[in-house]
Amino acid sequence: MNTHNPITIETSVHAPIEKVWFYWSDPVHIKKWNTASPEWHTPFAENELRVGGTFKSRMESIDGSMGFDFTGEYTDVITNELIRYVLKDGRMVELRFSTSGDQTQISETFDPENENSSELQRAGWQAILDHFKQYTEEN
């Protein structure tokens, strides 16, 4: 049972909402941005972005010494606005997308797991979100 409060991370991407939504959900792009550090990568991703749809991203260290599958099922999807999903371990995640001028704001709230500190999890998820921002703005 998770005894921690949900964690929220945010970013603002200098790109239209349609591009942000597409880059967030397209497996070709997911494989390119879904990393917290240069020592990691995502060699495999599949995504079925619809209520009841599933996703799977294989995250591995570049040297092949570690890796894990990030999997879940979508519970709520409103195009260009909202994504909610439940992870395989039962934790909930919610993403909200909004626009202001030529910026797209992303707010991501997730239930932390119990193995790593909340600070470490916040830093890791924020690093992935920051990499998404960088990738989307540069491509």
Side-chain angles (χ1 to χ4, degrees):
M1 177 121 176
N2 193 317
T3 58
H4 302 289
N5 292 325
I7 297 170
T8 299
I9 57 172
E10 298 176 317
T11 195
S12 183
V13 183
H14 186 76
I17 183 67
E18 295 81 8
K19 179 181 180 183
V20 169
W21 186 266
F22 181 70
Y23 276 36
W24 187 269
S25 59
D26 183 71
V28 170
H29 292 292
I30 292 169
K31 290 190 290 185
K32 295 178 180 174
W33 62 257
N34 192 30
T35 179
S37 72
E39 296 82 29
W40 284 78
H41 69 142
T42 300
F44 173 83
E46 62 184 12
N47 192 28
E48 198 178 0
L49 186 58
R50 61 172 180 77
V51 173
T54 60
F55 63 88
K56 177 180 177 180
S57 296
R58 177 69 186 168
M59 302 177 86
E60 294 180 353
S61 58
I62 296 288
D63 67 9
S65 64
M66 294 183 291
F68 62 93
D69 291 333
F70 187 75
T71 61
E73 180 177 329
Y74 294 107
T75 58
D76 199 2
V77 176
I78 302 171
T79 302
N80 297 339
E81 291 181 29
L82 174 74
I83 298 173
R84 285 192 187 111
Y85 59 88
V86 60
L87 293 169
K88 187 177 180 183
D89 64 9
R91 294 182 295 133
M92 302 297 295
V93 180
E94 178 181 281
L95 289 120
R96 293 194 172 270
F97 300 81
S98 61
T99 59
S100 176
D102 56 0
Q103 299 284 320
T104 299
Q105 286 77 37
I106 303 172
S107 175
E108 185 172 18
T109 301
F110 63 95
D111 292 334
E113 39 89 353
N114 294 315
E115 291 180 30
N116 297 293
S117 71
S118 292
E119 295 78 20
L120 185 64
Q121 292 177 70
R122 175 186 304 278
W125 284 59
Q126 185 69 54
I128 292 170
L129 190 58
D130 291 346
H131 194 243
F132 171 80
K133 169 187 170 67
Q134 178 186 357
Y135 173 79
T136 302
E137 289 178 348
E138 292 176 355
N139 291 279

